[in-house]
Amino acid sequence: MRAEGLFTTGTIVALGLALLAGTAGAQTAAPTRDDIVDKLNHFEEAAEVDLPALKQQVMERAKTRIKNDPGPVNRPLIAPDLAKLPAFNAQIQFDADTPIIQPASYQTVGRIADALVHASLLPYTFLIVGHVESNSKTREANAILSQRRADAFRDVLVNTFKISTKRLHPIGLGEEQFLDRAKPTSAVNGQLQILTYAKLPEEPRPAAAPAPAAKKPAKKR
């Protein structure tokens, strides 16, 4: 009986470990195309964001050493209107301190590309927003890195998956807009965001060719 009890306990422990491993695997599994489409397919109106001006603001604020800086937890968001846009947060792994995407993230990149050419998302443009968690580097260095990563991600979508450059707008926010302000050093703040930004302008339709003039019947002689 005792040996049987030990066997049963061991089996339960093994099953528990297997379930935990399965749960961990599920948490790191790449999202499906439909998951991404569902997150991005709720566009209502474009955010009032001047992207060139925002890039400049990010760099200026990241460079400035404010004497009374409230710190990363209380630092005001630099582009709060972005929170109004449909968003998908992607766990894209980069090599440390570089914009090089690691092979483990290729599947996720491919599924994002598949989602962007889904019929329901083809009429839209998207922001690719780079973030960086708070670390030992300067805010300026992190702002530059986040922009380089957003640019690199855009380049892969364009060069490998042939997504139109007109539909993709990369912007790096560095430490100026954390995804989790309460935990600025959390890895969550290193995620890349895809935001549904605006509708593509409708291309003018070509004017219809004039109908050929009807031939007059020949006169009878």
Side-chain angles (χ1 to χ4, degrees):
M1 290 293 291
R2 187 174 181 183
E4 183 180 350
L6 287 173
F7 174 78
T8 304
T9 302
T11 303
I12 291 172
V13 170
L15 287 172
L17 291 173
L19 287 171
L20 286 172
T23 302
Q27 290 174 344
T28 58
T32 67
R33 180 201 65 172
D34 291 342
D35 291 335
I36 301 166
V37 170
D38 184 61
K39 292 281 189 182
L40 297 177
N41 193 23
H42 301 285
F43 179 82
E44 294 181 2
E45 60 179 337
E48 296 182 4
V49 178
D50 182 337
L51 290 179
L54 177 58
K55 287 183 181 181
Q56 185 175 353
Q57 290 167 11
V58 169
M59 291 308 305
E60 287 178 353
R61 198 169 93 166
K63 289 178 182 178
T64 304
R65 295 185 178 181
I66 303 173
K67 185 176 181 181
N68 297 319
D69 179 29
V73 173
N74 298 313
R75 194 172 292 146
L77 303 179
I78 198 164
D81 283 351
L82 295 185
K84 301 175 184 177
L85 298 176
F88 173 72
N89 293 4
Q91 294 183 347
I92 303 299
Q93 302 297 320
F94 295 90
D95 286 352
D97 301 327
T98 78
I100 299 172
I101 299 172
Q102 293 184 358
S105 294
Y106 290 172
Q107 187 178 40
T108 298
V109 176
R111 289 181 180 175
I112 290 172
D114 287 344
L116 296 185
V117 295
H118 188 273
S120 63
L121 295 182
L122 276 176
Y124 299 102
T125 64
F126 300 87
L127 294 183
I128 300 171
V129 185
H131 299 273
V132 177
E133 66 271 24
S134 183
N135 51 44
S136 60
K137 299 188 178 300
T138 66
R139 285 166 60 188
E140 181 182 1
N142 281 335
I144 293 171
L145 179 60
S146 68
Q147 183 66 55
R148 291 178 66 204
R149 286 179 171 178
D151 290 340
F153 192 85
R154 185 269 316 271
D155 291 346
V156 171
L157 292 178
V158 170
N159 297 328
T160 303
F161 297 97
K162 309 307 177 186
I163 307 296
S164 171
T165 54
K166 295 179 182 179
R167 300 180 63 212
L168 305 172
H169 306 284
I171 177 76
L173 299 184
E175 294 185 49
E176 310 312 311
Q177 185 145 317
F178 290 116
L179 294 174
D180 186 351
R181 295 174 72 190
K183 300 176 182 177
T185 59
S186 170
V188 169
N189 291 309
Q191 291 179 343
L192 197 80
Q193 281 188 304
I194 312 296
L195 306 179
T196 309
Y197 181 50
K199 281 193 172 182
L200 279 167
E202 294 185 6
E203 295 184 0
R205 297 180 180 179
K215 291 183 179 179
K216 295 181 179 180
K219 292 183 179 179
K220 293 182 179 180
R221 294 181 179 179

